[in-house]
Amino acid sequence: MIVQLPAWEKLAKVIIWQQIGELKGKKILDFGSGKGITADHFAADNQVTAIEPSEDMLANQVNTNGYRQIVGSTDELKKLPSETFDYILCHNVLEYADDREIIVGEFYRLLKPSGKLSIVKHNRNGRVMQMIVLLNNFDEANNLLDGHNSNAQQFGTINYYDDKDIIEWCDGFTLQETYGLRTFWDLQQNQEIQKDEDWQKKMIDIEMKVSQNPDFQKIAFFHHLIFEKQVNENL
């Protein structure tokens, strides 16, 4: 890692990157890129464009590998040429967007045929686990179970959506892979052990081991979905 990160954030990024796999020589778009850590990681071997609306995030930007940074949101997507990118990343973003169906449609337009879309999203069941096990917040857990949204301290209302909603918003995508993310480690309350690199390695290994197991995916805090743009063979 280039920068020092809290253990939970470091583990999340390493696992997501492993789930995506090695990318080289690709054109990549990171939408909602935050501080740019993921954009910078992939920019080492790829041509990366990052879009981020928050100037506060960009104040602490990481950009050692020379990716292109754009400040803005959906309007900036619309300015980009069609079929430009091999891979689009959108991690923990759509929950906070009012125009997410439009965004997903733009992703489809911007991807090359057979291009990939990586989505990281909240899992409602995992949030219920967090409320009960970590925070003793029974009221919030019951609200979630009743179908209501919740709140993230930094970003505001978490507008939950189902994994299958991406395809409903744009039926040109097919779901290729589903992974669980943050299945175990948030439940470990020993803050000191989380700083131990050997512990982190073991946790990454076991998270990866269960990440494609549907039983464990049900309780993971997040889901990582990888879609592929369908090729219209009639064209």
Side-chain angles (χ1 to χ4, degrees):
M1 299 293 291
I2 296 171
V3 297
Q4 292 294 322
L5 296 173
W8 66 267
E9 188 174 0
K10 174 183 176 181
L11 266 62
K13 292 189 183 304
V14 169
I15 291 169
I16 291 167
W17 298 344
Q18 286 189 21
Q19 291 170 348
I20 290 173
E22 185 178 37
L23 299 178
K24 286 191 174 183
K26 305 294 186 183
K27 289 188 176 181
I28 299 173
L29 172 67
D30 187 356
F31 183 74
S33 55
K35 297 177 184 178
I37 296 169
T38 292
D40 195 60
H41 168 78
F42 285 108
D45 296 303
N46 302 277
Q47 182 180 332
V48 178
T49 299
I51 298 179
E52 170 57 43
S54 172
E55 294 189 5
D56 290 339
M57 284 284 188
L58 294 174
N60 298 305
Q61 183 185 33
V62 175
N63 191 345
T64 61
N65 289 315
Y67 63 86
R68 176 192 179 196
Q69 180 68 62
I70 298 173
V71 181
S73 188
T74 311
D75 288 345
E76 296 300 325
L77 283 177
K78 295 177 180 178
K79 297 176 184 178
L80 298 171
S82 298
E83 299 189 358
T84 297
F85 299 101
D86 301 289
Y87 222 110
I88 294 179
L89 315 174
C90 184
H91 297 166
N92 194 22
V93 172
L94 295 180
E95 289 88 342
Y96 310 104
D98 295 328
D99 55 351
R100 52 196 183 187
E101 295 184 41
I102 295 173
I103 291 171
V104 172
E106 285 298 306
F107 289 164
Y108 181 82
R109 181 183 66 82
L110 291 170
L111 278 171
K112 298 176 183 178
S114 300
K116 299 290 183 66
L117 169 63
S118 164
I119 298 281
V120 173
K121 61 178 287 294
H122 282 79
N123 177 36
R124 185 183 294 271
N125 290 347
R127 187 71 167 180
V128 172
M129 291 277 290
Q130 181 185 42
M131 289 298 113
I132 297 295
V133 177
L134 301 181
L135 302 178
N136 290 309
N137 190 336
F138 292 90
D139 289 339
E140 183 69 10
N142 279 305
N143 283 335
L144 286 164
L145 289 170
D146 290 337
H148 299 294
N149 290 319
S150 59
N151 190 72
Q153 184 175 4
Q154 185 174 8
F155 300 111
T157 301
I158 302 171
N159 297 291
Y160 291 90
Y161 61 95
D162 293 331
D163 294 359
K164 67 179 184 300
D165 285 345
I166 298 292
I167 294 174
E168 292 183 2
W169 296 338
C170 182
D171 62 7
F173 285 114
T174 56
L175 180 59
Q176 299 291 304
E177 301 287 351
T178 300
Y179 299 98
L181 177 67
R182 292 174 70 173
T183 305
F184 300 124
W185 83 73
D186 286 296
L187 304 178
Q188 170 58 258
Q189 292 300 285
N190 184 336
Q191 298 296 312
E192 287 303 311
I193 200 172
Q194 293 190 30
K195 300 174 184 178
D196 182 81
E197 290 190 3
D198 184 59
W199 180 91
Q200 291 178 14
K201 181 180 182 301
K202 291 177 180 177
M203 182 59 74
I204 290 170
D205 288 345
I206 199 165
E207 285 270 346
M208 288 294 295
K209 189 173 184 178
V210 305
S211 65
Q212 291 182 285
N213 184 319
D215 292 331
F216 287 101
Q217 289 171 4
K218 292 176 183 177
I219 60 168
F221 284 23
F222 289 82
H223 283 174
H224 179 199
L225 313 173
I226 297 180
F227 297 87
E228 183 175 277
K229 180 176 178 176
Q230 293 181 9
V231 178
N232 189 338
E233 297 179 353
N234 294 323
L235 293 180

